[in-house]
Amino acid sequence: MAEKSIVVLISGSGSNLQAIIDAIASGQINGRIAAVLSNKADAYGLIRARTAGIPEIIISHKDYDSRESFDAAMIKAIDAYQPDLIVLAGFMRILTADFVRHYRGRMFNIHPSLLPKYKGLHTHQRALEAGDSQHGCTVHFVTEELDGGPLALQAPIDILATDTIESLQQRVHSAEHKIYPLAVEWFCAERLTLSVSGSVQLDGTTLAPEGYQFTQE
Ligand code: GRF
């Protein structure tokens, strides 16, 4: 099977980008990151890309007068690399329906909650305030709904009585670094797909709506 080409979109630290770079280097993922796109020139993730010898694309949303024109510029730059997969890794812009439709079935996002719970921001605080016994993170195929879309993988994490926002965030983040490379691995091996009807398939079997449940050993 041919190696897949991946474009990763970031706005910040890029620790998930790093986890994917490392998983490619170790041979876990049969793919290569063709480019990293950031909407912020000072994103630390760009330094990670540079260190790994990955081409960088910087497109600032501030240079565009509408979401449509910004997204159109991104599509043009991304498609120059003919990617099989788009990975949103802390990309902090809301995408237009046109952009999302263009990459249907080949764009992932990771979100720090057990979706469909806690879409949007401050997820750790919200889980703690609700007195939840579990929190976690989710990789999903991207659709037009913000933090929506069919769920591919989820890592549930027990909330401890002693947890603070920071401690919880830290454990969720390290779970992200496991499930995001795994989702990319499975996609690149053509094991994880989105069907025309919108269900997520792993090895030809439809997953439950909450996606594959990743449990820490
Ligand atoms: C992660 O918490 C992810 O769930 C969210 O943005 C954050 C990105 O972190 N979508 P990093 O830039 O990969 O360190």
Side-chain angles (χ1 to χ4, degrees), residues 118-141:
Y118 311 130
K119 296 177 178 180
L121 300 175
H122 311 300
T123 59
H124 313 296
Q125 184 180 347
R126 286 155 72 197
L128 280 176
E129 283 175 1
D132 292 356
S133 59
Q134 284 198 316
H135 187 43
C137 49
T138 306
V139 176
H140 63 96
F141 283 98

Side-chain angles (χ1 to χ4, degrees), residues 24-66:
I24 289 172
S26 76
Q28 182 193 341
I29 295 171
N30 182 24
R32 99 196 144 78
I33 302 179
V36 169
L37 184 154
S38 175
N39 64 314
K40 292 196 171 168
D42 61 354
Y44 182 70
L46 288 173
I47 294 173
R48 300 181 192 270
R50 218 167 292 156
T51 307
I54 301 168
E56 304 160 36
I57 310 167
I58 300 167
I59 301 183
S60 171
H61 55 279
K62 293 185 182 152
D63 294 338
Y64 296 84
D65 54 16
S66 67

Side-chain angles (χ1 to χ4, degrees), residues 78 97 142 177 186 192:
I78 292 169
V142 179
H177 301 155
W186 287 349
L192 185 62

Side-chain angles (χ1 to χ4, degrees), residues 11-27:
S11 299
S13 143
S15 68
N16 281 286
L17 163 68
Q18 188 67 55
I20 294 167
I21 291 173
D22 294 346
I24 289 172
S26 76

Side-chain angles (χ1 to χ4, degrees), residues 55-168:
E56 304 160 36
I57 310 167
I58 300 167
I59 301 183
S60 171
H61 55 279
K62 293 185 182 152
D63 294 338
Y64 296 84
D65 54 16
S66 67
R67 284 196 196 280
E68 285 71 22
S69 56
F70 171 60
D71 281 10
M74 286 202 296
I75 289 179
K76 200 168 166 211
I78 292 169
D79 284 358
Y81 292 92
Q82 298 188 297
D84 300 292
L85 177 65
I86 311 299
V87 171
L88 304 179
F91 185 68
M92 300 302 283
R93 302 296 301 170
I94 292 174
L95 298 164
T96 59
D98 279 350
F99 186 95
V100 170
R101 272 196 294 265
H102 186 74
Y103 297 111
R104 188 192 182 279
R106 52 188 180 116
M107 179 156 64
F108 282 143
N109 183 38
I110 191 158
H111 184 73
S113 79
L114 296 175
L115 289 172
K117 271 191 155 182
Y118 311 130
K119 296 177 178 180
L121 300 175
H122 311 300
T123 59
H124 313 296
Q125 184 180 347
R126 286 155 72 197
L128 280 176
E129 283 175 1
D132 292 356
S133 59
Q134 284 198 316
H135 187 43
C137 49
T138 306
V139 176
H140 63 96
F141 283 98
V142 179
T143 59
E144 287 156 61
E145 190 194 348
L146 181 67
D147 297 325
L151 311 187
L153 264 101
Q154 227 168 38
I157 285 170
D158 290 335
I159 297 181
L160 311 174
T162 51
D163 263 328
T164 59
I165 294 175
E166 290 71 30
S167 66
L168 193 53

Side-chain angles (χ1 to χ4, degrees), residues 138-205:
T138 306
V139 176
H140 63 96
F141 283 98
V142 179
T143 59
E144 287 156 61
E145 190 194 348
L146 181 67
D147 297 325
L151 311 187
L153 264 101
Q154 227 168 38
I157 285 170
D158 290 335
I159 297 181
L160 311 174
T162 51
D163 263 328
T164 59
I165 294 175
E166 290 71 30
S167 66
L168 193 53
Q169 181 173 25
Q170 207 171 33
R171 288 210 308 294
V172 170
H173 227 149
S174 48
E176 291 183 14
H177 301 155
K178 292 181 185 144
I179 64 168
Y180 221 176
L182 187 56
V184 174
E185 176 196 335
W186 287 349
F187 183 93
C188 289
E190 298 179 5
R191 296 179 56 191
L192 185 62
T193 55
L194 181 67
S195 75
V196 179
S197 66
S199 66
V200 179
Q201 315 265 316
L202 179 63
D203 296 328
T205 303

